[in-house]
């Protein structure tokens, strides 16, 4: 791959997805884009770059963006944030929302769906009092193929062994030819939507809980700030934001304050009142 082609692809990805590859990632581009080029009847990345520049195939831009998206996920990933969701965040929000009995949760960059399904299982297992509440879970991702997989809810034996307790597997999944399929009632309340975080997302509405985990690490600081600032405008006054273990708002956005009772990267809005500290 020529330096010119590498620079073109990395600039294209930065502009369209926010993904910042930096230098010396030729191996990654070739591993993902050579098979894509061949599937379009091209010889390699050079032909792919020429096609992108000519804009002859309108679907090629989307295919390149999706090919470079990292769809790594697992059930109850990193575990501790889900424990804190169970022990602190949800009990406090339930106390705050008793009058309306309504909660809205956004899983951005939901990948193959393990995160929203984990949230649904956690609520079903530990909060039976929410059975009659209006709980909406909006799950978004840049990759349409990942969303299709998430909707189908089918996972391999390897995928269900990563973080999913066996009792939850037996209770909430049915065995199928490809592995395990999540029971249809668990996905009934989840909305799956295609979304690029670089684009406007005001239409999604307001949320009490926002999961934006393990996606900002791929962005430049100015892009992180823009996304975090826009997310803050979609959060309710008592809302919380969950980031990945390697992510932070410190030095990036002043709109958030870390929840002192949580060890994970969990934040509330700086101008909001603390959640009821004594509720558990």
């Amino acid at each position: 791959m020529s330096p010119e082609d590498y620079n073109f692809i990395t600039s294209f990805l930065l502009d369209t997805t926010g993904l910042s590859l930096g230098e010396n990632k030729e191996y990654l581009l070739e591993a993902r884009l050579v098979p894509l080029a061949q599937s379009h009847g091209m010889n390699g990345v050079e032909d792919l770059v020429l096609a992108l520049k000519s804009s002859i195939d309108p679907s090629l831009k989307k295919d390149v963006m999706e090919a470079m998206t990292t769809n790594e996920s697992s059930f109850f990933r990193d575990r501790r944030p889900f424990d804190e969701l169970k022990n602190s965040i949800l009990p406090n929000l339930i106390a705050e929302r008793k009058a309306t009995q309504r909660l809205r949760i956004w899983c951005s960059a939901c990948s193959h769906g393990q995160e929203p399904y984990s949230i649904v299982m956690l609520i079903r297992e530990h909060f039976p009092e929410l059975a009659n509440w209006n709980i909406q879970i909006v799950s978004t991702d840049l990759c349409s193929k990942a969303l299709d997989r998430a909707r189908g809810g089918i996972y391999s034996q390897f995928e269900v062994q990563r973080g999913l307790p066996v009792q939850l597997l037996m209770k909430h999944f049915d065995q199928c030819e490809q592995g395990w399929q999540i029971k249809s009632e668990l996905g009934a309340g989840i909305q799956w939507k295609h979304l690029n975080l670089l684009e406007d997302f005001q239409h999604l509405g307001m949320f009490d809980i926002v999961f934006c985990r393990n996606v900002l690490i791929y962005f430049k600081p100015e892009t992180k700030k823009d996304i975090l600032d826009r997310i803050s405008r979609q959060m309710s006054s008592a809302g919380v934001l969950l980031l990945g273990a390697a992510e932070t708002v410190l030095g990036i956005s002043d709109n958030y304050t870390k929840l002192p009772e949580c060890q994970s990267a969990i934040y509330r809005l700086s101008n909001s009142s603390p959640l009821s500290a004594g509720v558990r």
Side-chain angles (χ1 to χ4, degrees):
M1 181 188 307
S2 71
E4 292 77 17
D5 287 346
Y6 182 80
N7 290 335
F8 177 85
I9 291 289
T10 54
S11 296
F12 168 81
L13 291 171
L14 186 64
D15 292 340
T16 57
T17 70
L19 176 63
S20 177
L21 281 184
E23 300 178 353
N24 303 318
K25 294 293 177 65
E26 287 86 354
Y27 68 94
L28 179 61
L29 285 181
E30 290 181 343
R32 297 192 183 184
L33 296 185
V34 168
L36 174 63
Q38 293 171 343
S39 72
H40 281 263
M42 304 172 189
N43 291 323
V45 175
E46 182 179 356
D47 289 349
L48 195 68
V49 169
L50 289 173
L52 284 173
K53 288 179 177 178
S54 65
S55 301
I56 294 175
D57 184 354
S59 68
L60 186 61
K61 174 180 174 181
K62 180 174 178 244
D63 289 347
V64 171
M65 292 163 62
E66 294 198 357
M68 294 306 301
T69 301
T70 300
N71 291 310
E72 169 65 21
S73 189
S74 60
F75 290 100
F76 298 98
R77 186 174 182 178
D78 302 327
R79 194 68 215 191
R80 177 173 284 169
F82 289 93
D83 289 340
E84 292 174 333
L85 182 67
K86 177 184 71 174
N87 296 328
S88 179
I89 296 170
L90 276 173
N92 292 336
L93 277 171
I94 290 169
E96 292 273 350
R97 299 285 183 263
K98 274 187 178 178
T100 61
Q101 296 194 351
R102 185 173 186 263
L103 285 174
R104 297 194 79 231
I105 302 170
W106 177 19
C107 294
S108 66
C110 68
S111 186
H112 296 143
Q114 288 98 323
E115 183 174 83
Y117 286 131
S118 295
I119 296 169
V120 174
M121 284 187 278
L122 185 147
I123 290 173
R124 291 281 185 97
E125 292 295 313
H126 300 285
F127 299 96
E129 68 270 31
L130 298 182
N132 296 320
W133 280 42
N134 179 3
I135 299 177
Q136 298 177 9
I137 300 178
V138 179
S139 299
T140 66
D141 202 90
L142 172 68
C143 182
S144 298
K145 292 178 182 178
L147 285 172
D148 289 340
R149 272 209 63 197
R151 285 189 192 95
I154 296 176
Y155 300 94
S156 67
Q157 184 67 35
F158 172 74
E159 287 173 315
V160 297
Q161 286 176 331
R162 296 183 65 201
L164 184 64
V166 66
Q167 65 270 26
L168 295 185
L169 173 65
M170 303 311 295
K171 184 175 182 178
H172 297 295
F173 288 75
D174 294 316
Q175 204 155 13
C176 63
E177 184 177 349
Q178 300 96 321
W180 297 85
Q181 182 165 25
I182 200 155
K183 293 186 176 179
S184 58
E185 61 265 25
L186 257 73
I190 302 176
Q191 301 174 39
W192 307 98
K193 297 177 181 289
H194 179 269
L195 182 75
N196 186 337
L197 286 173
L198 297 191
E199 299 171 357
D200 180 62
F201 44 69
Q202 291 184 76
H203 61 282
L204 296 179
M206 302 296 290
F207 294 95
D208 301 296
I209 302 172
V210 177
F211 282 75
C212 188
R213 304 182 65 228
N214 306 299
V215 60
L216 296 181
I217 53 175
Y218 299 106
F219 298 153
K220 286 191 170 183
E222 57 269 26
T223 305
K224 294 179 186 180
K225 176 175 172 52
D226 173 63
I227 293 172
L228 286 168
D229 288 349
R230 287 188 290 123
I231 286 175
S232 71
R233 298 194 285 271
Q234 305 299 124
M235 291 172 58
S236 64
S237 59
V240 295
L241 168 69
L242 291 86
L243 299 182
E247 297 168 326
T248 182
V249 303
L250 296 177
I252 300 172
S253 175
D254 296 328
N255 293 342
Y256 301 90
T257 300
K258 193 174 186 306
L259 281 183
E261 65 268 32
C262 295
Q263 297 183 46
S264 305
I266 302 176
Y267 304 86
R268 63 177 174 85
L269 296 178
S270 297
N271 59 359
S272 66
S273 300
L275 289 174
S276 306
V279 180
R280 286 294 181 270

